[in-house]
């Protein structure tokens, strides 16, 4: 599921497009987790890792559908972590921020605002290994300023929204959606 499949005002999406976004970003991970968890619990070991997004922790305008799926994935992973813990199965969720060289921002050719850093695909891979090895429930993969912003956004969503509006986040999400549409 790419950002363009779920970026834009909710009213711009057909019911079929909404269903596709929910299927790809949420339903499929739920079904796969159900099937894998059954096997892992019977063995008494294993680890599920879900790939979410920073968008699963804070929301920006113009991407409500994408956020809904990523917030849902967070809830699934955290709840499942508690369910599977007594059976020796770990569950973790990764929240990548802006990734250079790969993914939706690289594909769309969007320029990030000054001071907004990126991470590499290797950073994401190292985070996956770390959460499995340390049985950590969550890991943000983003430079410190982005992680601080996400923490602020989770603690004070209204303040975060005002800061994002003033910082021009709407321009970034529009540029991303347009860049992805051009790639279709």
């Amino acid at each position: 599921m790419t950002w363009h499949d779920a970026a834009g005002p909710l009213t711009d999406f057909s019911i079929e497009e909404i269903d596709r976004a929910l299927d790809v970003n949420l339903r499929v991970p739920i079904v796969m987790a159900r099937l894998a968890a059954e096997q892992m619990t019977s063995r008494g070991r294993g680890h599920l890792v879900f790939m979410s997004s920073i968008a699963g922790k804070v929301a920006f305008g113009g991407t409500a559908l994408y956020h809904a799926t990523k917030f849902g994935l967070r809830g699934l992973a955290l709840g499942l972590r508690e369910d599977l813990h007594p059976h020796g199965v770990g569950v973790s969720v990764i929240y990548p921020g802006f990734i250079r060289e790969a993914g939706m921002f690289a594909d769309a050719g969007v320029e990030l605002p000054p001071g907004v850093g990126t991470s590499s695909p290797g950073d994401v891979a190292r985070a996956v290994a770390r959460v499995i090895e340390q049985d950590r429930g969550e890991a943000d993969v983003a430079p410190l300023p982005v992680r601080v912003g996400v923490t602020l956004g989770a603690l004070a969503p209204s303040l975060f929204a005002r800061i994002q509006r003033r910082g021009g986040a709407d321009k970034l999400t529009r540029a991303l959606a347009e860049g992805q549409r051009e790639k279709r």
Side-chain angles (χ1 to χ4, degrees):
M1 170 112 254
T2 59
W3 188 283
H4 76 270
D5 293 325
L10 184 61
T11 53
D12 285 358
F13 293 95
S14 69
I15 300 303
E16 292 78 20
E17 289 169 324
I18 292 169
D19 287 341
R20 181 174 186 278
L22 292 169
D23 282 349
V24 171
N25 274 3
L26 195 53
R27 184 178 184 282
V28 167
I30 291 170
V31 171
M32 290 177 68
R34 161 64 176 84
L35 297 171
E38 184 175 35
Q39 297 297 312
M40 290 177 182
T41 57
S42 71
R43 288 192 314 262
R45 62 183 168 80
H47 202 105
L48 297 170
V49 177
F50 294 90
M51 194 61 60
S52 182
S53 166
I54 288 294
K57 291 183 147 187
V58 294
F60 304 93
T63 55
L65 179 57
Y66 185 75
H67 288 293
T69 64
K70 295 305 181 177
F71 270 76
L73 195 57
R74 182 180 195 206
L76 169 69
L78 295 177
L80 195 56
R81 181 173 173 82
E82 294 307 307
D83 291 347
L84 297 180
H85 177 75
H87 303 283
V89 177
V91 178
S92 303
V93 61
I94 306 291
Y95 306 101
F98 304 107
I99 304 298
R100 64 182 171 271
E101 304 160 10
M104 60 191 165
F105 284 93
D107 290 347
V110 173
E111 292 287 325
L112 294 173
V116 176
T118 62
S119 299
S120 72
D123 295 331
V124 177
R126 284 185 289 281
V128 169
R130 190 172 52 251
V131 297
I132 294 170
E133 291 166 356
Q134 298 173 4
D135 191 24
R136 291 183 50 204
E138 299 182 287
D140 293 344
V141 182
L144 182 61
V146 175
R147 292 193 320 265
V148 168
V150 167
T151 300
L152 170 65
L155 295 173
S158 295
L159 174 60
F160 183 75
R162 284 195 301 274
I163 292 168
Q164 292 301 310
R165 283 193 292 270
R166 286 192 180 140
D170 60 325
K171 293 175 190 161
L172 178 64
T173 56
R174 277 196 309 271
L176 179 59
E178 290 169 14
Q180 289 288 349
R181 270 193 292 275
E182 291 173 7
K183 298 286 183 181
R184 286 185 190 174

